[in-house]
Amino acid sequence: MDKYPSPIATVDVALFTLKDGQLSVLLAPRPADSEIFPLADALPGGYIHADKDDDAQASAQRVLTSKAGVNVPHLEQLYTFSGKFRDPRGWSLSIAYYAVIPFCELPDSGLTLVAVDALPALPFDHGAIVRAAVGRLRSKATYSSLPLFLLPKKFTMDMVHGVYQQVIGVQLNKASFRRKIEAQGIITPLEGEKQHGAHRPAQVYRATDSCLREFDQLL
């Protein structure tokens, strides 16, 4: 018997994107030979490798690379879910993370994207993890540049307005929103670049920074 008994220690990641205008989360099938929940759709997750991972963040990044084939622009620790009943194999803890990625950067890997408003029953407590992550994402979107990480590298103001509405889940007055966003300095116009369509050409922008920026509340 170990001198210091250890619980099962894992990481799980709620990876969000926008598909068909809906905030969606990525699910991956569990291994067919798993002793519990074989082939069930679940959040990408796995054991912490104490001999390889420098910390839990490194574990989460490894899981996303190995199970989803992605390098995400933003990965953030959410909460630790723990207890003796969350895993049939024994007392366990999961350090949960959430991440965002533009839909155009997701590989065609056969993984499942599910709208967060139509989430099916998930194994373990992954449903609770997704709900907590959605709450954090929507709250943080009201005072940060987080929704920009769901957009391609170049975008229009209409796309910025749309992604903030979709993530926060409320209608935002377009003129007021534009003034507030321009005042934050989180996007930069690309000189001479316009997007042409059925209406007047639209200015093209990029994110000012590659890291998260916080600002005054939009709402």
Side-chain angles (χ1 to χ4, degrees):
M1 182 177 177
D2 293 339
K3 183 178 179 182
Y4 302 108
S6 300
I8 300 168
T10 63
V11 292
D12 291 297
V13 185
L15 175 60
F16 296 103
T17 192
L18 286 175
K19 181 184 179 185
D20 300 327
Q22 292 185 300
L23 184 64
S24 301
V25 65
L26 184 139
L27 302 176
R30 288 179 53 76
D33 59 353
S34 176
E35 59 186 298
I36 55 172
F37 309 120
L39 296 177
D41 280 340
L43 294 177
Y47 294 108
I48 293 172
H49 293 176
D51 58 335
K52 297 178 181 179
D53 301 330
D54 289 340
D55 51 29
Q57 184 101 354
S59 298
Q61 290 172 334
R62 174 178 51 77
V63 161
L64 281 177
T65 300
S66 64
K67 295 199 172 182
V70 296
N71 290 311
V72 294
H74 184 75
L75 174 68
E76 183 177 324
Q77 190 174 135
L78 174 66
Y79 190 74
T80 298
F81 292 77
S82 63
K84 62 169 66 176
F85 302 116
R86 63 176 302 274
D87 189 321
R89 293 167 295 189
W91 211 106
S92 72
L93 64 87
S94 172
I95 304 174
Y97 286 79
Y98 75 99
V100 292
I101 192 170
F103 181 75
C104 61
E105 293 184 14
L106 278 175
D108 185 13
S109 59
L111 301 178
T112 302
L113 284 173
V114 176
V116 298
D117 293 330
L119 195 69
L122 298 177
F124 307 105
D125 48 8
H126 287 191
I129 293 175
V130 173
R131 289 189 291 273
V134 169
R136 175 77 64 83
L137 178 61
R138 286 183 167 153
S139 172
K140 204 154 193 172
T142 66
Y143 63 88
S144 79
S145 61
L146 184 56
L148 297 182
F149 294 116
L150 290 162
L151 293 174
K153 290 182 172 55
K154 296 181 180 181
F155 45 78
T156 65
M157 183 62 77
D158 277 350
M159 293 169 68
V160 177
H161 179 249
V163 76
Y164 269 86
Q165 286 194 142
Q166 289 157 344
V167 173
I168 298 173
V170 300
Q171 295 293 310
L172 300 170
N173 178 272
K174 187 174 286 189
S176 175
F177 174 82
R178 183 186 185 107
R179 288 194 298 271
K180 288 180 179 180
I181 287 296
E182 288 180 336
Q184 309 310 323
I186 62 171
I187 61 174
T188 300
L190 293 172
E191 190 71 29
E193 292 201 34
K194 303 281 185 179
Q195 184 181 89
H196 297 272
H199 304 288
R200 192 173 74 177
Q203 176 64 52
V204 175
Y205 297 82
R206 65 168 177 83
T208 303
D209 297 303
S210 59
C211 56
L212 188 73
R213 287 264 302 271
E214 296 185 357
F215 49 73
D216 296 335
Q217 286 275 352
L218 287 173
L219 302 179

